Amino acid sequence: MKRIILASGSPRRKEIFKSLNIEFEIIKSSYDEILENDVFSYDKIENLAYNKALAVAKTVNEPALVVGADTVVVSDNQILGKPKDRADAFNMLKKLSGKEHFVVTSICVIETPNMHTKTNSTTSYVEFENLTDDLINYYIDEFKPFDKAGSYGIQELPQGFVKHINGSFENIVGLCSKSLTDLLKQFKH
């Protein structure tokens, strides 16, 4: 079995990898994910996942599968990234209140040393309840979601936030295990 490398420091992705009983190691990607604008497209997110994986794949000399991923929250075709500060987090959650939005995680696997690449994206839909300012402030104060796209982590939201989810819960957390295993199977020789 080839070495499998997760090109991410995300504790949530690490937990999903562990739950699959995949032997892997982590080499955090040095790729600086900067979006030129916040208009959503699958190509844009898949490109981020690819560049994260590529930054690590270039440093690996023996046969390995390098996995890069990127997750975005999208509302009104606008990407909601990680909040800049508390006010930004509040405004994002207020924007999502009472509406459906979607979460896309793109996964890219690069096989070294030949740099053969496969990418896929998974989309899940989340509808929030109408959130009170008090509930939003409580969530921000207690969970400090400043490292999370869209200013929230689905796995930690208190009761009263989520009205409905359609699609993979793990995808919203940051990595759909079925998409990952399907991609990895394509590299078995």
Side-chain angles (χ1 to χ4, degrees), residues 4 6 13 33 57 79 89 118 145 153 163 175:
I4 296 177
L6 173 59
R13 291 191 181 117
E33 53 180 282
I79 296 169
K118 295 213 177 273
K163 185 173 191 175
L175 192 73

Side-chain angles (χ1 to χ4, degrees), residues 75-109:
S75 177
D76 299 326
N77 211 41
Q78 298 294 302
I79 296 169
L80 302 181
K82 296 173 184 172
K84 296 185 239 5
D85 54 29
R86 191 183 196 295
D88 196 28
F90 182 90
N91 290 334
M92 278 190 212
L93 292 170
K94 197 71 174 165
K95 179 178 177 145
L96 297 173
S97 176
K99 292 174 34 183
E100 184 178 74
H101 61 277
F102 62 96
V103 179
V104 176
T105 299
S106 294
I107 304 170
C108 177
V109 179

Side-chain angles (χ1 to χ4, degrees), residues 129 131 135 138 156-162:
E129 296 284 1
L131 306 175
L135 185 57
Y138 166 79
E156 66 190 19
L157 288 177
Q159 195 167 4
F161 249 80
V162 178

Side-chain angles (χ1 to χ4, degrees), residues 17-151:
F17 258 75
K18 280 184 175 178
S19 74
L20 293 170
N21 294 319
I22 294 174
E23 209 171 294
F24 72 101
E25 60 189 279
I26 293 173
I27 300 176
K28 193 171 182 226
S29 180
S30 61
Y31 180 72
D32 189 14
E33 53 180 282
I34 297 171
L35 292 171
E36 289 178 22
N37 63 52
D38 60 358
V39 177
F40 171 76
S41 76
Y42 283 96
D43 285 347
K44 189 180 291 185
I45 307 315
E46 290 175 357
N47 194 45
L48 286 173
Y50 169 75
N51 282 313
K52 286 180 177 182
L54 183 63
V56 172
K58 286 178 176 178
T59 69
V60 177
N61 297 320
E62 69 274 1
L65 297 176
V66 179
V67 180
D70 196 72
T71 302
V72 294
V73 173
V74 182
S75 177
D76 299 326
N77 211 41
Q78 298 294 302
I79 296 169
L80 302 181
K82 296 173 184 172
K84 296 185 239 5
D85 54 29
R86 191 183 196 295
D88 196 28
F90 182 90
N91 290 334
M92 278 190 212
L93 292 170
K94 197 71 174 165
K95 179 178 177 145
L96 297 173
S97 176
K99 292 174 34 183
E100 184 178 74
H101 61 277
F102 62 96
V103 179
V104 176
T105 299
S106 294
I107 304 170
C108 177
V109 179
I110 300 177
E111 182 178 38
T112 62
N114 65 21
M115 303 308 255
H116 182 69
T117 303
K118 295 213 177 273
T119 306
N120 74 18
S121 294
T122 304
T123 304
S124 301
Y125 297 85
V126 180
E127 184 180 353
F128 277 1
E129 296 284 1
N130 287 311
L131 306 175
T132 64
D133 289 359
D134 286 345
L135 185 57
I136 292 171
N137 283 319
Y138 166 79
Y139 175 70
I140 293 169
D141 291 341
E142 290 298 311
F143 294 94
K144 302 186 181 6
F146 304 112
D147 66 334
K148 296 177 175 73
S151 301

